[in-house]
Amino acid sequence: MIPPSFEYLKPRTVPEAISLLEEHGENAKILSGGQSLIPMMKFRLARPGWLIDINHIPNLAYIREEGGYLKIGGLTREADIESSDLIRSKFPVLHDTAFVIADPQVRNLATIGGNLAHADPANDHPATMLALGAQVVATGRRGERIIPIEEFFVSIFTTALQHDEILTEIRVPVPPPGSGGAYFKVERKVGDFATAAVAAQATLDGQGVCQGVGIGMTNVGPIPIKARTAEGFLKGKTLTEITIAEASRLAAGDAQPSSDSRGPAEYKKALVKELTKRAINRAIERARQ
Amino acid sequence: MPKTHHVRVRLNGVDHEADVDPRVLLVHFIRETAGLTGTHIGCDTSNCGACTVLLDGRPIKSCTLLAVQADGSDLTTVEGLMHDGQLHPIQEGFHQEHGLQCGFCTPGMMMSALALLGKNPNPTEQDIRWAISGNLCRCTGYQNIVKAIQYAGRKMQQGASA
């Protein structure tokens, strides 16, 4: 399969890329890792007339801790997130997530910015970023604006980004001491999208009382879902087998899966319940390390 | 008609260039403009890994990258393995350990193995299974592919210490 014809543009700076987006309007698409866009073009699910390749813009790929945030450049490859010691040690939920995205070859090209901006509810980073309370940096003609991740996913394949904005950075607040997180995914085979997946991030005090918790869910609704009922229930409670079981039941209630080739909706709700339990338990283990 | 682009790459240590339409995929560029047909087109949707090549040392699926994107890069395909008439230890490993039956996935498997052994000369079985998790084989059940890569790792270490 060969994609439909398009013109290829290779800007060298972010302002140049933004000008090209303005010039070509809705008919232009940003090409980042291309691991979702190129297959979609082959299947004629996307037919942009202009591809604006941002891979030659310097300083868009980085992972660093700065001013209380983990900052990840939009063009950072999944493979580099997977192998980052900083991420493995301080943001294990993010390491877990990158590790199960597609397969090693795809991760060598796929980018975190693309994973989020594509806004496929089956993508893995959105749930994790919801659990971590991340912020998206959108760069446009008038400079940067910060979009809280909870406001970023508008509908399927649609984000709060304006057409002439580029996702240039993800910011994750550095969790306080006593925090841990984990991502659990069930997939039919390596490289498949999640049948369901759950990200959990929790902060505990010395007595095991939950000071803060974030739970995000993958591919169980038209957009990535934050399990607000489950989060509200856990906050301020001691995390025990009983409270975790109740939170998992509530998370399954927050999920809105539909039946498809990966299984009936009821099965996916049952998966969410079990995966939430496992993710919270692993998060607690890591918080205590 | 879209504007064509001049693409120049280093392909298995040799300069190669051609003018291409932007929609030409890297796998077609390799097979059709360079005539190197060892890189296979399998699923064509980045699932199977038969089209795996190394782009600046990293394995990628050449059915899901535009040839224009590879401009200026260093590419290695299965044809780049053999040197001076001698099989590469990875090729020898697949031969000795029966790491293939129909052979369709083999070029992609070997490129994933090459990237792994370049970074990690002494991989565990788990490391090997991670490295080839994006390459599908429908014949072997993977056992002998794992053994072939272990064979190659040992052989390459002997070569390095000799």
Side-chain angles (χ1 to χ4, degrees):
Chain A
M1 281 176 290
I2 295 170
S5 281
F6 56 87
E7 296 283 350
Y8 173 81
L9 301 165
K10 196 159 79 172
R12 303 289 172 162
T13 65
V14 171
E16 197 190 329
I18 291 164
S19 300
L20 291 170
L21 280 173
E22 287 174 334
E23 188 184 333
H24 299 293
E26 296 287 332
N27 202 13
K29 278 291 271 183
I30 293 289
L31 174 63
S32 183
Q35 301 301 286
S36 295
L37 181 57
I38 292 175
M40 285 184 89
M41 289 171 68
K42 289 179 167 193
F43 286 121
R44 275 45 180 180
L45 295 171
R47 311 182 72 120
W50 302 82
L51 274 194
I52 301 171
D53 182 358
I54 58 170
N55 286 276
H56 299 270
I57 300 177
N59 307 319
L60 277 184
Y62 51 83
I63 299 169
R64 60 175 176 252
E65 196 181 325
E66 195 176 81
Y69 287 93
L70 170 72
K71 297 184 174 178
I72 307 177
L75 199 60
T76 307
R77 311 288 161 183
E78 302 295 358
D80 295 324
I81 294 171
E82 183 185 357
S83 63
S84 157
D85 290 333
L86 170 64
I87 286 175
R88 192 192 291 255
S89 62
K90 281 193 154 173
F91 303 87
V93 61
L94 188 45
H95 172 81
D96 288 356
T97 307
F99 189 73
V100 293
I101 291 172
D103 60 49
Q105 291 98 313
V106 171
R107 293 199 289 271
N108 278 330
L109 291 172
T111 66
I112 189 168
N115 192 288
L116 292 166
H118 186 50
D120 185 337
N123 278 358
D124 295 288
H125 280 305
T128 297
M129 293 303 167
L130 283 169
L132 286 166
Q135 300 169 353
V136 169
V137 179
T139 304
R141 170 146 315 276
R142 283 173 299 279
E144 291 182 349
R145 77 183 169 109
I146 306 282
I147 308 171
I149 195 74
E150 293 164 42
E151 295 165 21
F152 187 68
F153 303 105
V154 175
S155 64
I156 188 162
F157 298 124
T158 308
T159 67
L161 286 174
Q162 296 298 309
H163 178 71
D164 54 358
E165 285 180 322
I166 298 174
L167 193 168
T168 47
E169 188 177 270
I170 325 298
R171 290 183 187 165
V172 179
V174 175
S179 300
Y183 187 66
F184 276 78
K185 174 178 179 177
V186 168
E187 56 187 357
R188 297 175 300 180
K189 58 173 267 295
V190 167
D192 190 21
F193 289 115
T195 304
V198 176
Q201 174 75 21
T203 303
L204 309 179
D205 69 9
Q207 280 71 50
V209 176
C210 174
Q211 301 298 306
V213 63
I215 300 170
M217 306 185 288
T218 301
N219 215 8
V220 287
I223 58 170
I225 295 175
K226 193 164 160 65
R228 289 178 200 280
T229 320
E231 291 173 356
F233 170 78
L234 280 180
K235 189 143 188 225
K237 291 209 169 58
T238 306
L239 296 183
T240 64
E241 204 177 316
I242 293 163
T243 54
I244 293 168
E246 179 59 10
S248 305
R249 196 185 66 77
L250 293 170
D254 286 333
Q256 308 156 25
S258 42
S259 299
D260 61 16
S261 58
R262 292 186 178 83
E266 203 182 344
Y267 163 66
K268 295 182 184 180
K269 282 199 175 242
L271 268 185
V272 166
K273 188 175 153 192
E274 180 60 27
L275 295 176
T276 304
K277 187 175 88 184
R278 293 185 194 183
I280 295 173
N281 279 323
R282 179 74 56 83
I284 296 170
E285 257 171 54
R286 286 172 167 170
R288 288 182 175 146
Q289 275 169 8
Chain B
M1 280 294 285
K3 183 174 165 286
T4 59
H5 294 257
H6 191 70
V7 174
R8 182 181 310 193
V9 295
R10 189 97 178 140
L11 182 53
N12 299 327
V14 177
D15 288 326
H16 173 71
E17 49 195 300
D19 289 319
V20 296
D21 236 24
R23 66 173 177 162
V24 169
L25 299 162
L26 180 61
V27 68
H28 294 122
F29 179 81
I30 291 168
R31 290 174 58 90
E32 289 161 25
T33 74
L36 298 181
T37 53
T39 303
H40 291 166
I41 302 173
C43 69
D44 210 6
T45 52
S46 83
N47 278 294
C48 79
C51 66
T52 301
V53 302
L54 302 194
L55 174 83
D56 295 326
R58 284 180 165 201
I60 58 108
K61 294 182 174 177
S62 61
C63 76
T64 311
L65 187 78
L66 304 169
V68 280
Q69 290 181 275
D71 184 33
S73 67
D74 189 90
L75 298 171
T76 310
T77 69
V78 68
E79 289 90 346
L81 284 174
M82 196 159 141
H83 269 295
D84 303 326
Q86 291 286 309
L87 289 182
H88 186 279
I90 292 173
Q91 293 170 307
E92 196 185 308
F94 274 74
H95 179 210
Q96 290 296 333
E97 299 291 343
H98 308 284
L100 62 140
Q101 288 176 31
C102 87
F104 194 84
C105 72
T106 312
M109 285 287 179
M110 293 202 289
M111 299 325 285
S112 289
L114 182 65
L116 170 71
L117 294 173
K119 270 199 314 202
N120 179 358
N122 191 18
T124 62
E125 178 175 342
Q126 201 186 357
D127 295 334
I128 293 172
R129 289 187 181 272
W130 170 86
I132 60 170
S133 62
N135 296 81
L136 297 183
C137 172
R138 302 290 81 173
C139 304
T140 64
Y142 301 98
Q143 287 297 116
N144 288 356
I145 295 175
V146 172
K147 286 184 195 161
I149 297 170
Q150 287 169 329
Y151 177 104
R154 287 193 301 272
K155 176 99 187 190
M156 286 164 78
Q157 281 191 302
Q158 283 165 13
S161 60

